[in-house]
Amino acid sequence: MSRFPSDSAAAQGLTSCPTCERLCQSNERTCPRCGTKIVVRKPASIQKTIALLVTATVLYFPANFLPIMRTEQFGNAQTNTILSGVITLWGHGSYVIASIIFFASVLVPIAKMLVLFWLCWSVTRARQHCQGQRAYLYKLTETVGRWSMIDVFVVAILVAMVQLGAALSIQPGPAALSFAGVVAFTMLAASSFDSRLIWDSLAKEETQA
Amino acid sequence: MPSGFTHAPSPKHAERVACPSCDLLVDLPELEEGQRAHCPRCQHHLALSPRGGVVRPLAFAITGLILFIVANSFPFLSFKASGREQVMNLAQAATELMRHGSPTLACIVLALILIGPALSLACIVFITTPLALGKRFVGIATLSKLVFRIGPWTMADVFMIGVLVSLTKIASLATVVIGLSFWAYAGFALMFVATMASLDRRLLWQRIGDPSK
Ligand SMILES: [Zn+2]
Ligand SMILES: [Zn+2]
């Protein structure tokens, strides 16, 4: 009984180079074309993904509860968290922008972490279903992730632009860095997950059939 | 009946690949210009036969780099409130964070919006210029690896959306004037996306080829 489904490259002793996608022999040490190390499956993929996800989860709390920026206007200081920023925008009638920020900064990071945790858990199960849907979900988390950085850039631009001394100034808050960390660590987690693990479960069905 | 008919040649296959996303072995068909190939099992995008080969991404990348220089040479936005005016240039999106006590964040922003995208485009110019002339050079594989490694970390397009969100956030506080640099960076972001979309990973590596051969 093979660990890999019979129509997969791994079952034939072949591996796609992770950098240039050349079909290499699995026992080759490095890709003859680009020199990248050849691995049949990413080593310790699930452990690495979970470690990175835990880091992102820990950072998610300061990112959401600490202020992301501080506005000083004629001596009055006002702090904003990610969520209070969304509420303010909504209150001013900028529904589209408020929705974009809510989606990119609040919903996407948490959904992405949950999906990746669930994928890590699901590939270790004995019986697995819905390979196609899980592969699609994984692809979605991979593509959508970078767009969460919007809020970090908003802080960077506002801090650079709004510096009128005592009249009006904006300072970055501690949540900005934590939030950038959440986005970066979930992106790293997504890239360390090996999506081929989702399909390897088909090997078990083949032997049962 | 000619004997060739009974032994019809098997359909012409460009290359056998393993889907990087699900590991299925796939025989890629010969693609016509502008055609794409997807994995039959997981729908992963496997190959694109780009129109214009490597010349098109080269042209996009050069245009992008010129716009990048313009974007760094003029005011990005200026901001008027309470009788005072402040002019912001592009690099200040990072350097002002440094001045206000967030040096780590400043470096992250600098890398994501300026260094990363510009470095990518510069590498692509260095890679595709000799390829378009049918030449190769030592180190081309290293540069190409770098481009794909930093791919997801280049955020020119995300930054542009960030700028639009910032504008709506402060529109109520003051008058904002959009500078020449703003339009140049918007063009740069567009060229960046176009370069990446017209560059096919498989085709590029095929052109680079095996150094042993
Ligand atoms: Zn390779
Ligand atoms: Zn596939």
Side-chain angles (χ1 to χ4, degrees):
Chain A
M1 174 188 156
S2 168
R3 272 175 62 207
F4 306 111
S6 56
D7 52 1
S8 69
Q12 315 286 323
L14 298 167
T15 303
S16 174
C17 166
T19 305
C20 72
E21 298 178 11
R22 180 190 186 276
L23 198 58
C24 299
Q25 299 291 327
S26 297
N27 55 16
E28 268 168 321
R29 214 175 58 81
T30 57
C31 168
R33 182 156 68 185
C34 71
T36 307
K37 195 162 170 261
I38 295 297
V39 286
V40 178
R41 294 289 178 263
K42 292 175 189 170
S45 160
I46 295 179
Q47 291 90 321
K48 275 185 202 163
T49 309
I50 288 183
L52 290 162
L53 280 176
V54 169
T55 315
T57 313
V58 169
L59 286 171
Y60 188 80
F61 293 97
N64 278 282
F65 294 114
L66 294 179
I68 193 158
M69 60 186 185
R70 204 178 66 212
T71 314
E72 282 169 29
Q73 198 164 11
F74 299 112
N76 296 327
Q78 187 200 349
T79 57
N80 260 313
T81 60
I82 291 176
L83 208 58
S84 76
V86 172
I87 295 167
T88 311
L89 275 171
W90 190 269
H92 288 308
S94 319
Y95 302 119
V96 178
I97 300 289
S99 310
I100 291 177
I101 291 291
F102 181 74
F103 192 75
S105 305
V106 184
L107 223 53
V108 165
I110 194 99
K112 219 184 133 174
M113 289 188 284
L114 288 174
V115 164
L116 285 170
F117 269 124
W118 176 65
L119 284 175
C120 282
W121 173 80
S122 79
V123 295
T124 61
R125 295 283 89 192
R127 285 184 160 274
Q128 294 180 32
H129 307 282
C130 315
Q131 278 83 0
Q133 281 95 316
R134 280 188 287 146
Y136 177 74
L137 261 186
Y138 171 69
K139 204 149 290 167
L140 205 62
T141 60
E142 221 187 2
T143 3
V144 138
R146 52 204 285 285
W147 290 94
S148 296
M149 218 45 123
I150 291 175
D151 238 7
V152 174
F153 296 145
V154 170
V155 173
I157 295 157
L158 292 183
V159 168
M161 197 160 42
V162 187
Q163 294 302 338
L164 301 174
L168 181 62
S169 73
I170 294 182
Q171 314 290 332
L177 183 60
S178 321
F179 187 71
V182 172
V183 181
F185 280 107
T186 43
M187 281 174 71
L188 288 171
S191 72
S192 63
F193 181 77
D194 196 330
S195 62
R196 292 170 293 191
L197 295 174
I198 296 173
W199 301 91
D200 283 345
S201 61
L202 292 175
K204 285 173 201 144
E205 285 165 33
E206 277 173 11
T207 50
Q208 280 161 10
Chain B
M1 201 183 196
S3 63
F5 253 31
T6 47
H7 299 284
S10 57
K12 204 171 170 219
H13 290 310
E15 198 186 357
R16 171 165 261 215
V17 296
C19 171
S21 168
C22 76
D23 212 30
L24 183 74
L25 274 175
V26 182
D27 285 315
L28 284 179
E30 196 84 70
L31 293 178
E32 278 168 34
E33 266 203 3
Q35 254 190 332
R36 288 163 186 280
H38 293 269
C39 170
R41 185 160 71 180
C42 75
Q43 313 310 324
H44 181 78
H45 165 76
L46 287 177
L48 160 76
S49 175
R51 288 176 213 277
V54 292
V55 178
R56 193 176 274 220
L58 173 61
F60 284 141
I62 291 175
T63 318
L65 284 175
I66 294 168
L67 288 169
F68 182 77
I69 295 167
V70 177
N72 281 287
S73 319
F74 294 94
F76 191 70
L77 294 169
S78 58
F79 176 75
K80 286 180 201 154
S82 334
R84 292 184 59 179
E85 183 178 1
Q86 200 194 346
V87 179
M88 170 208 169
N89 60 43
L90 185 56
Q92 277 178 318
T95 55
E96 286 295 302
L97 283 173
M98 182 92 78
R99 242 170 35 88
H100 291 93
S102 304
T104 319
L105 198 61
C107 294
I108 295 173
V109 170
L110 190 69
L112 296 179
I113 68 167
L114 292 175
I115 298 174
L119 183 70
S120 275
L121 289 193
C123 285
I124 288 168
V125 171
F126 275 115
I127 296 163
T128 51
T129 306
L131 288 182
L133 301 168
K135 294 196 174 73
R136 277 200 346 224
F137 63 92
V138 181
I140 194 166
T142 316
L143 276 190
S144 192
K145 264 201 272 196
L146 180 72
V147 170
F148 293 112
R149 182 96 14 112
I150 65 176
W153 302 94
T154 46
M155 301 196 183
D157 43 357
V158 183
F159 180 68
M160 241 8 253
I161 303 296
V163 173
L164 298 178
V165 172
S166 316
L167 289 182
T168 46
K169 275 204 171 186
I170 53 169
S172 59
L173 294 174
T175 322
V176 178
V177 183
I178 289 170
L180 178 60
S181 182
F182 173 92
W183 298 110
Y185 192 88
F188 166 71
L190 202 67
M191 284 302 118
F192 183 80
V193 174
T195 308
M196 290 309 176
S198 63
L199 195 72
D200 181 59
R201 181 191 283 241
R202 205 181 51 90
L203 179 96
L204 188 74
W205 280 105
Q206 264 177 357
R207 292 282 192 95
I208 293 171
D210 287 12
S212 52
K213 279 180 193 160

